[in-house]
Amino acid sequence: MSTFAIVFYTLMIAASCLAAYYHRREAFLVLFSLTLASFLMGLLGGESWLRTVAIAIGLFFACAGLAYSFREFLAQTLPRETAKIMRNAPLTASFGLFVILVYVVAAVFAPVIAPHGEAEVIGSSYAPPDENMLLGGDQLGRDMFSRIIYGARNTVGIALLTTALAFLVGSLTGLMAATLGGWVDQTCGRVVDTLMAIPQLVFALLLLTIVGTNVVNLILVIALLYSPLVFRLARAVAGNIVVMDYIEAARLRGEKTWYLIISEILPNATAPLVAEFGLRFCFVFLAISALSFLGLGIQPPTADWGSMVRENATLISFGEVTPLIPAAAIALLTVAVNFVVDWMLHLSSGLKE
Amino acid sequence: MKDVLSLVAKRLGLGFVTLLVVSIIIFGAVELLPGDLAEAILGQAATPETVKAMREELGLDRSAPVRYVEWLGGALQGDFGVSLANKRSVAEQLGPRFRNTLFLAAVAAAFSIPISIVLGVLAALYRESVFDRIANVATLTSISSPEFFLGYILILFLSVQNPWFPSISSVTGDMPFTERVFVTLLPAITLTLVVIAHMMRMTRAAIIALLASPYIEMARLKGEPRWKVIAVHALPNALAPIINVVALNLAYLITGVVLVEIVFVYPGVGQLLVDSVTKRDFPVVQACCLVFAATYILLNLLADVGSILSNPRLRHPK
Amino acid sequence: MTDQKSSLLKIRGLRIEGRADEKWFEIVHGVDLDLRRGEVMGLIGESGAGKSTIGLAAMGFTRDGCRISAGSIEFDGMELTSSPEEDLRMLRGARIAYVAQSAAASFNPAHKLIDQHTAAPVQHKIRTRRESEEDAMELYRRLRLPHPEEIGFRYPHQVSGGQLQRAMTAMAMSCRPDLIIFDEPTTALDVTTQIEVLAAIRDIVDQFDTAALYITHDLAVVAQMADRIKVLLKGDEVEEADTRSMLASPKEDYTKSLWAVRSFQRQQKPPAGAGETPVISVSGVSAAYGPVKVLDDVSFDIHRGRTVAVVGESGSGKSTAARCITGLLPPTGGDIRHNGQVLPASFKERSKDQLRQAQMIYQMADTALNPKKRIGEIIGRPVAFYRGLRGADLKKRVDELLDQIELEPSQFFHRVPSELSGGQKQRIGIARALAAEPEFIICDEVTSALDQLVAEGILKLLDRLQEDLNLAYMFITHDLATVRAIADEVVVMKEGKVVEAGPKDEMFRPPHHEYTDLLLSSVPEMDPDWLDGLLERRGVDNIGEAARK
């Protein structure tokens, strides 16, 4: 057995024992099952697997530590009310917030951060990493790292715009349908049911074949296909609000529909709608990435994560991880947003009780 | 019983109407092309003569409703016309691929349904425990990852670094069953990872809502053992939500399949669809969309019918 | 078995905590309780008194998010707080049984009644399935359920609420337990159904000499059921005494105040002059929800400065009548006049002034006030909307209104509804109605969601406002005590029709219409002999449902 394996197992067992000694039942259970799992991995795959496991565990704790410090940082710097909420937030939420912040910085300051231009050809194709090109070159010899940074701007920007559009259309019609009721509600419901009867990705492929693939079409098509989902939620949330007596009181006062929506219903629907925005953003973001991956979304030479995976996919058969980096970038952002949304949903459901 | 039958009949009728409307949308969408199909296929460089010849070949000289009825009539008999790209019958290309896609989805479902229901119930029973929290983080991560990310990770680890599984799932019609399953395994696992996450979260939510009901508290206060509370009192009522969850996720599988087929070069309908979209081969695109949509609608229909049938209030009317 | 007087349940210094926001808060602060075999103790208190929590703790059970933090619970010599879960399980159902508030929700919808009934005796090996089924029919017969041989083979949703509640009592009896916990078993029922259930419960508890903890917020009910009464307030015991002495001479101020609530009663005002035009006149109104007819030729008048109480059980159409008057549900026939002028059927066609003249106060203050708005905005909106006041004038008017409902303006103006108590919220609801300066206010069960003391405050306030502003009230209620307190005229409704109408004093004096009589006589009184007397008068087999036919 190598020194590495000995050190690794010793550390794991020691950590488990410590947890058990201090009666941290949950921590102990996690640590010891990890130890057992790594025994198995060690037996199955030898030291190389063990190293992978060690790196994974290390990464996990690094993320947890980062999340912990970031939460403390926010709790120290934010105003009192917000800080109090922050202090009770789970680590996943603060991790999510941190990741989102990093993406926002990358997107806003992309030209400053990226060492090279978005479409600038610098080296040979699939050039290995060096100090000039941190992650090596892509299939045309462009700098991977710079393109990933620009991708934050393009992919996230487009997804955000699309979600906003889908949201505007979906939530407005949803609120209108719930408030007006009657035939307006019925018609909207029918249209939405039909739109949702076709799987989104398939429908998007059909429509994009017809209207052709460019950014404007992409945004419009995806927004159209995802607005019914927003409509459903907005309709359901508002549906619960319009039956309240305070809405009846406002109606009997003679208030206009517009006042009802803006002033009485919307303030009570904000929390679930904001959470829904996060959730929808994830789905839209994944859908756009999927389309780009299929070569039908954002078109070259625009740097975009989905297309980057496709363009460099051949590298994987040589055991390279480079094509996985943009895919991981997509996954990381969706995970982060999902973590934050999960926390917000928990908060809003907790406040009701 | 009569109420239930009429409800089911109503739902089936609605499903049929939806399918009809969807077929109109799929057919009509192509009609919205700027210019018409012939111009779109031939491009701007075409002479008026060739466009005219193409129109006649495609039958575009007749009105849209007539062509729709013909198209739908053909589709119902399994005839989707001929492909523009290779002039072969669409049905011939689609048939074996559809079977492949169903096979992939079935393998994925066979893994994911039992695992996710068991895990979901466990997470609900031991909620707020370490297991539940880890499951929560793990499922959120899995849901958030694009299918191609998971697929390539699996290829990297299980087929490139350790050459255990083939990275390309080339299935053929005459393959023996076990080999077929083996080749399909990687794409199936990829799909399973995503679907398990969805299904487990939905099952967990459904069971938690159920466990909060007063009749569960009553069963506990009658001194019934824990397993009996779950098996006799919770499960019969959990049937409706679980049927719903399963059917919805099967529907999801059907669409998730498109990306996975591309990653693993699996010869299914998804791959055909994407290929035809790139080639702008409209008859094939329409046929693929119709097949996907029909499967999707059917599964959603099953979900609704299932929950109608498992509702005791409807099964035993007053 | 053992001596009748021997102790069965002994609770000492019981403290229970509940969790909110990751912190533990004490909700029961050290309660003692003694119950002997065959004795019925009434636990009484307002919402939040911790009575249900104590009831469940007597079974060694706490709901999720609650825990027993201190004290001892001794059941027949066995300490429950330290017993393993398995031992507690053997006890539950077999020796201590539970009857929940809502039978409809507490029966499993997926199983027949009989399957749920026999589960406990078979589980605890007290009876075989067959024996238990036969026993169930016997119990159903004793509880006077219709078709005792057959009713057990129905599903819960196929049986009415009052019958389900009795079936649940039978289920609790299935193992002949030593103790049954009744947790508000009749709260969700109409008064006429309540009588049947009360009588059935009391008989069966007597017959088997079972001890019981009877939890309720209704003093008159507990007076019929309990040998001893314990009064709770916010998790503390106030006092405990024998039922008769407690009713005759309560010691503590809080208990006295509970008793006093029922004494508020206003003199009936003289009827309006014959020539006077009523503020609201409902004549021959019929209405329907789709094909279901819910109102049938309903007529009554409401005069200036008078209160008309519309009473009836759930489904009698009393709330529908209000919806017709406000125009939310356009009637299918008849018309509604305001000061002699016919109002358009739908509120959408009424003028701003017509809308202003008729205001509404709701039952649930929680859903009647927009939770995201400040009190100032809630009351200010009608003022701004109808009178166009802005800025300082608006603020001044809102302050006046807050003064009128006896809330300090500077304290309440900037608060949101969630920071207010139930009674304060209801007052805001009243202020919002007053802000429109109406002639007529519909009060829909305004006091039924409130604790009795608070409810009395609201009634007094409404009465004073009527004096000051010469308002006409339509008071929808199912509670005859409220009617007695505030009404000038009474309209009794049943199944969408007016059964009887007239001045209050006449209505409460015999002879009555048959249904009015049933309704009036079914309201429990604070006299421990009331139920016995009533049953005697009606004949044991002739209670409730039977009498209605």
Side-chain angles (χ1 to χ4, degrees):
Chain A
M1 223 159 51
S2 69
T3 342
F4 171 74
I6 294 172
V7 172
F8 175 75
Y9 284 129
T10 318
L11 275 178
M12 286 301 289
I13 294 170
S16 310
C17 291
L18 267 179
Y21 184 77
Y22 286 105
H23 298 289
R24 307 304 286 264
R25 190 172 157 272
E26 306 208 323
F28 168 73
L29 282 178
V30 172
L31 282 169
F32 197 66
S33 9
L34 267 177
T35 317
L36 289 179
S38 41
F39 280 146
L40 195 73
M41 296 294 257
L43 281 177
L44 271 176
E47 201 186 309
S48 72
W49 279 46
L50 214 52
R51 274 183 200 277
T52 320
V53 174
I55 291 171
I57 295 177
L59 260 179
F60 177 78
F61 279 105
C63 289
L66 185 71
Y68 183 79
S69 336
F70 188 61
R71 183 174 70 184
E72 271 312 298
F73 175 73
L74 286 182
Q76 301 288 345
T77 48
L78 287 174
R80 252 206 13 241
E81 282 300 301
T82 344
K84 203 177 143 201
I85 299 171
M86 242 359 265
R87 222 177 278 275
N88 288 325
L91 284 182
T92 45
S94 67
F95 177 72
L97 283 176
F98 181 76
V99 171
I100 294 173
L101 189 72
V102 169
Y103 275 70
V104 168
V105 170
V108 172
F109 299 104
V112 186
I113 299 170
H116 303 286
E118 190 177 350
E120 207 179 327
V121 178
I122 305 178
S124 58
S125 57
Y126 300 131
D130 53 30
E131 61 261 34
N132 188 23
M133 294 199 277
L134 287 172
L135 297 171
D138 68 357
Q139 87 281 15
L140 297 176
R142 293 170 296 194
D143 179 30
M144 269 300 249
F145 178 70
S146 306
R147 281 178 69 77
I148 287 178
I149 298 292
Y150 275 103
R153 190 173 256 203
N154 301 330
T155 318
V156 179
I158 289 173
L160 213 53
L161 201 65
T162 313
T163 319
L165 193 61
F167 217 74
L168 200 69
V169 176
S171 55
L172 263 186
T173 43
L175 291 176
M176 286 287 266
T179 318
L180 292 173
W183 66 268
V184 180
D185 193 18
Q186 297 260 322
T187 322
C188 286
R190 282 277 164 281
V191 170
V192 160
D193 281 349
T194 317
L195 279 178
M196 283 177 63
I198 311 176
Q200 264 93 36
L201 189 63
V202 173
F203 207 173
L205 286 174
L206 174 72
L207 290 183
L208 285 175
T209 325
I210 291 155
V211 296
T213 44
N214 61 51
V215 173
V216 179
N217 285 346
L218 182 72
I219 291 176
L220 290 178
V221 165
I222 299 288
L224 170 75
L225 294 186
Y226 279 81
S227 51
L229 295 147
V230 182
F231 169 88
R232 279 222 176 152
L233 180 100
R235 167 74 186 79
V237 170
N240 287 333
I241 299 172
V242 290
V243 296
M244 292 287 175
D245 291 334
Y246 59 84
I247 301 294
E248 187 182 302
R251 278 190 213 272
L252 286 179
R253 202 185 301 143
E255 302 280 8
K256 300 272 180 296
T257 310
W258 197 240
Y259 170 88
L260 287 178
I261 293 178
I262 299 296
S263 188
E264 301 276 351
I265 299 175
L266 204 55
N268 290 290
T270 345
L273 282 180
V274 169
E276 175 73 3
F277 186 86
L279 220 54
R280 279 308 137 218
F281 169 77
C282 289
F283 282 105
V284 166
F285 184 57
L286 284 176
I288 290 182
S289 301
L291 285 172
S292 303
F293 170 75
L294 297 174
L296 300 162
I298 301 167
Q299 297 296 314
T302 312
D304 156 73
W305 294 334
S307 1
M308 285 170 76
V309 179
R310 181 177 51 107
E311 286 158 3
N312 300 295
T314 35
L315 278 181
I316 290 189
S317 31
F318 304 108
E320 289 278 341
V321 289
T322 343
L324 288 182
I325 296 173
I330 297 169
L332 189 62
L333 180 61
T334 12
V335 171
V337 174
N338 261 324
F339 279 165
V340 176
V341 168
D342 206 40
W343 171 53
M344 281 169 52
L345 285 176
H346 186 78
L347 267 188
S348 64
S349 72
L351 287 178
K352 259 184 246 154
E353 286 158 11
Chain B
M1 214 52 208
K2 224 170 141 196
D3 288 7
V4 180
L5 286 183
S6 79
L7 262 178
V8 170
K10 230 184 225 165
R11 186 62 191 85
L12 288 176
L14 187 66
F16 179 74
V17 172
T18 312
L19 197 55
L20 207 67
V21 174
V22 166
S23 75
I24 294 177
I25 292 178
I26 290 175
F27 181 85
V30 176
E31 299 295 314
L32 292 178
L33 274 176
D36 69 7
L37 191 54
E39 282 173 33
I41 294 164
L42 296 169
Q44 288 169 340
T47 60
E49 288 79 37
T50 46
V51 171
K52 189 161 177 284
M54 188 75 177
R55 266 189 199 137
E56 271 163 29
E57 192 192 326
L58 294 169
L60 288 182
D61 37 1
R62 285 167 305 149
S63 73
V66 173
R67 278 179 293 124
Y68 167 73
V69 172
E70 275 179 16
W71 176 73
L72 191 69
L76 287 176
Q77 293 161 29
D79 174 18
F80 293 95
V82 290
S83 153
L84 295 179
N86 53 19
K87 307 289 176 217
R88 280 171 51 207
S89 146
V90 175
E92 244 172 64
Q93 299 177 58
L94 197 60
R97 281 170 175 271
F98 186 53
R99 276 196 291 281
N100 287 346
T101 294
L102 283 186
F103 183 75
L104 173 57
V107 175
F111 284 123
S112 51
I113 292 173
I115 298 180
S116 53
I117 289 179
V118 170
L119 287 180
V121 172
L122 285 179
L125 288 184
Y126 300 101
R127 60 177 178 282
E128 303 296 316
S129 69
V130 198
F131 167 69
D132 184 32
R133 276 184 223 166
I134 291 178
N136 182 34
V137 172
T139 49
L140 267 185
T141 313
S142 166
I143 290 174
S144 312
S145 308
E147 287 90 342
F148 53 83
F149 181 51
L150 295 174
Y152 281 131
I153 288 183
L154 289 180
I155 290 186
L156 187 65
F157 283 105
L158 300 179
S159 133
V160 176
Q161 293 192 348
N162 305 283
W164 294 342
F165 295 98
S167 68
I168 291 180
S169 315
S170 44
V171 290
T172 52
D174 49 359
M175 244 178 194
F177 181 73
T178 43
E179 199 187 331
R180 212 182 151 110
V181 172
F182 176 71
V183 170
T184 318
L185 217 50
L186 274 195
I189 293 176
T190 312
L191 277 175
T192 304
L193 283 177
V194 182
V195 175
I196 277 189
H198 276 286
M199 228 192 284
M200 181 179 162
R201 287 175 79 83
M202 288 161 89
T203 311
R204 177 183 180 272
I207 300 285
I208 284 182
L210 201 80
L211 290 180
S213 22
Y215 57 80
I216 296 295
E217 184 178 282
M218 193 66 210
R220 292 177 65 192
L221 289 174
K222 278 198 299 190
E224 301 200 28
R226 199 179 166 85
W227 69 267
K228 226 176 176 177
V229 173
I230 301 294
V232 178
H233 291 277
L235 276 187
N237 293 295
L239 216 55
I242 287 180
I243 289 176
N244 218 359
V245 170
V246 169
L248 287 180
N249 279 285
L250 287 181
Y252 177 83
L253 261 182
I254 293 298
T255 49
V257 116
V258 177
L259 285 169
V260 175
E261 283 181 2
I262 298 295
V263 171
F264 292 94
V265 203
Y266 185 92
V269 185
Q271 205 194 29
L272 181 66
L273 173 61
V274 174
D275 278 354
S276 315
V277 167
T278 339
K279 290 185 211 146
R280 309 198 72 180
D281 190 345
F282 292 105
V284 185
V285 172
Q286 281 177 326
C288 291
C289 285
L290 195 63
V291 165
F292 272 125
T295 324
Y296 191 77
I297 291 171
L298 192 73
L299 285 167
N300 278 310
L301 200 65
L302 278 183
D304 287 358
V305 171
S307 47
I308 292 173
L309 289 181
S310 58
N311 184 341
R313 277 169 229 270
L314 292 175
R315 246 185 339 182
H316 313 284
K318 288 189 177 178
Chain C
M1 265 194 296
T2 33
D3 176 17
Q4 284 294 313
K5 296 285 174 199
S6 71
S7 162
L8 181 67
L9 181 71
K10 199 161 127 191
I11 295 177
R12 288 290 173 272
L14 178 66
R15 287 172 187 276
I16 299 175
E17 292 180 343
R19 196 166 70 167
D21 284 338
E22 314 279 314
K23 286 189 199 78
W24 291 94
F25 296 96
E26 199 169 85
I27 44 182
V28 174
H29 320 284
V31 167
D32 297 343
L33 190 152
D34 281 288
L35 190 65
R36 287 187 288 274
R37 281 182 188 280
E39 185 183 40
V40 179
M41 174 175 286
L43 282 184
I44 189 154
E46 299 172 348
S47 52
K51 44 195 199 303
S52 291
T53 317
I54 295 173
L56 287 170
M59 305 182 78
F61 184 89
T62 48
R63 291 212 165 106
D64 278 348
C66 287
R67 66 175 184 199
I68 296 172
S69 54
S72 81
I73 302 164
E74 205 182 300
F75 175 77
D76 204 14
M78 177 181 165
E79 176 56 48
L80 301 188
T81 50
S82 57
S83 291
E85 188 62 26
E86 193 55 22
D87 292 357
L88 290 175
R89 193 173 68 66
M90 303 302 280
L91 212 61
R92 291 181 195 145
R95 301 198 57 203
I96 313 177
Y98 181 75
V99 175
Q101 173 171 359
S102 164
S106 297
F107 269 116
N108 191 327
H111 300 297
K112 290 176 185 156
L113 294 181
I114 197 81
D115 293 334
Q116 305 189 46
H117 182 102
T118 54
V122 173
Q123 174 68 39
H124 296 295
K125 303 203 171 54
I126 291 171
R127 266 177 255 277
T128 64
R129 165 89 200 198
R130 253 198 99 77
E131 287 167 2
S132 178
E133 272 182 24
E134 278 161 21
D135 183 56
M137 289 168 196
E138 175 58 26
L139 287 171
Y140 291 155
R141 196 170 298 125
R142 289 194 190 208
L143 285 161
R144 289 187 290 273
L145 278 164
H147 317 294
E149 274 79 26
E150 174 271 318
I151 194 165
F153 295 90
R154 296 194 206 159
Y155 284 87
H157 64 272
Q158 297 167 326
V159 179
S160 77
Q163 292 171 2
L164 267 188
Q165 204 69 51
R166 278 182 279 166
M168 175 159 284
T169 308
M171 184 162 84
M173 270 296 168
S174 64
C175 296
R176 302 292 185 278
D178 300 311
L179 171 63
I180 301 185
I181 316 287
F182 289 98
D183 193 351
E184 307 247 13
T186 60
T187 307
L189 304 175
D190 280 327
V191 276
T192 51
T193 323
Q194 169 169 281
I195 293 297
E196 302 162 23
V197 178
L198 286 181
I201 288 178
R202 213 183 53 171
D203 284 0
I204 201 113
V205 168
D206 271 354
Q207 282 172 28
F208 293 108
D209 200 24
T210 317
L213 273 182
Y214 197 97
I215 298 163
T216 178
H217 67 276
D218 190 331
L219 282 161
V221 166
V222 86
Q224 312 308 317
M225 308 302 288
D227 303 322
R228 297 164 66 71
I229 294 178
K230 188 191 277 292
V231 183
L232 295 168
L233 175 64
K234 291 177 184 153
D236 276 312
E237 176 179 332
V238 178
E239 67 175 305
E240 183 193 321
D242 184 72
T243 302
R244 280 172 199 278
S245 46
M246 172 81 87
L247 291 176
S249 53
K251 290 193 188 65
E252 299 294 321
D253 287 346
Y254 174 70
T255 323
K256 280 180 197 157
S257 73
L258 282 180
W259 267 232
V261 168
R262 304 230 162 193
S263 61
F264 170 69
Q265 194 168 334
R266 197 200 67 186
Q267 283 297 308
Q268 181 191 319
K269 290 178 193 158
E276 197 186 320
T277 329
V279 178
I280 289 287
S281 163
V282 177
S283 56
V285 166
S286 301
Y289 288 116
V292 189
K293 197 159 191 185
V294 281
L295 277 189
D296 186 11
D297 195 20
V298 169
S299 306
F300 55 85
D301 291 342
I302 303 172
H303 289 274
R304 212 169 296 279
R306 301 292 188 280
T307 302
V308 171
V310 180
V311 287
E313 297 184 288
S314 50
S316 61
K318 54 191 193 302
S319 292
T320 313
R323 288 174 67 83
C324 286
I325 295 175
T326 53
L328 280 168
L329 181 73
T332 50
D335 54 31
I336 290 152
R337 287 162 198 272
H338 171 242
N339 291 334
Q341 277 182 316
V342 177
L343 282 172
S346 165
F347 74 95
K348 286 176 191 154
E349 289 145 31
R350 292 186 188 173
S351 71
K352 214 166 166 176
D353 198 54
Q354 284 169 331
L355 289 171
R356 183 180 69 77
Q357 294 290 6
Q359 290 293 312
M360 190 138 177
I361 308 170
Y362 296 86
Q363 174 178 9
M364 306 298 292
D366 278 322
T367 62
L369 307 179
N370 190 334
K372 296 286 172 187
K373 295 203 159 191
R374 307 208 168 266
I375 302 305
E377 293 175 274
I378 292 174
I379 305 177
R381 178 67 194 177
V383 178
F385 187 78
Y386 290 125
R387 285 182 49 188
L389 294 186
R390 296 279 179 274
D393 293 342
L394 179 65
K395 171 89 171 70
K396 194 167 150 254
R397 176 71 187 131
V398 172
D399 285 354
E400 272 172 33
L401 285 163
L402 281 168
D403 272 333
Q404 255 178 343
I405 54 161
E406 297 153 12
L407 294 178
E408 175 55 41
S410 60
Q411 257 186 42
F412 286 90
F413 193 86
H414 291 289
R415 292 209 201 166
V416 289
S418 60
E419 295 167 341
L420 269 56
S421 73
Q424 287 169 341
K425 280 183 223 172
Q426 199 55 286
R427 281 168 193 258
I428 301 299
I430 296 173
R432 179 177 58 189
L434 291 181
E437 296 172 22
E439 294 179 332
F440 168 63
I441 298 181
I442 297 173
C443 305
D444 189 356
E445 301 270 12
V446 283
T447 54
S448 58
L450 300 172
D451 291 326
Q452 294 183 28
L453 262 180
V454 183
E456 191 196 29
I458 297 289
L459 289 183
K460 283 183 176 157
L461 172 67
L462 285 171
D463 187 40
R464 206 203 69 218
L465 291 170
Q466 186 169 46
E467 289 297 317
D468 294 353
L469 305 168
N470 202 23
L471 293 166
Y473 290 145
M474 170 175 166
F475 222 93
I476 298 169
T477 182
H478 68 276
D479 180 21
L480 289 164
T482 312
V483 177
R484 218 167 277 200
I486 199 162
D488 297 306
E489 274 170 70
V490 183
V491 175
V492 181
M493 288 188 70
K494 187 197 178 197
E495 286 162 13
K497 292 196 180 89
V498 174
V499 177
E500 202 180 359
K504 174 175 73 172
D505 291 348
E506 271 175 42
M507 293 293 288
F508 280 99
R509 218 178 316 144
H512 310 291
H513 178 274
E514 205 181 339
Y515 177 72
T516 314
D517 183 55
L518 180 70
L519 207 59
L520 284 178
S521 65
S522 296
V523 179
E525 286 166 24
M526 295 280 273
D527 167 12
D529 299 320
W530 169 80
L531 186 58
D532 292 323
L534 180 76
L535 293 180
E536 206 168 290
R537 258 181 289 135
R538 287 190 188 172
V540 176
D541 292 325
N542 193 28
I543 52 166
E545 229 166 295
R548 223 178 286 172
K549 282 165 193 157

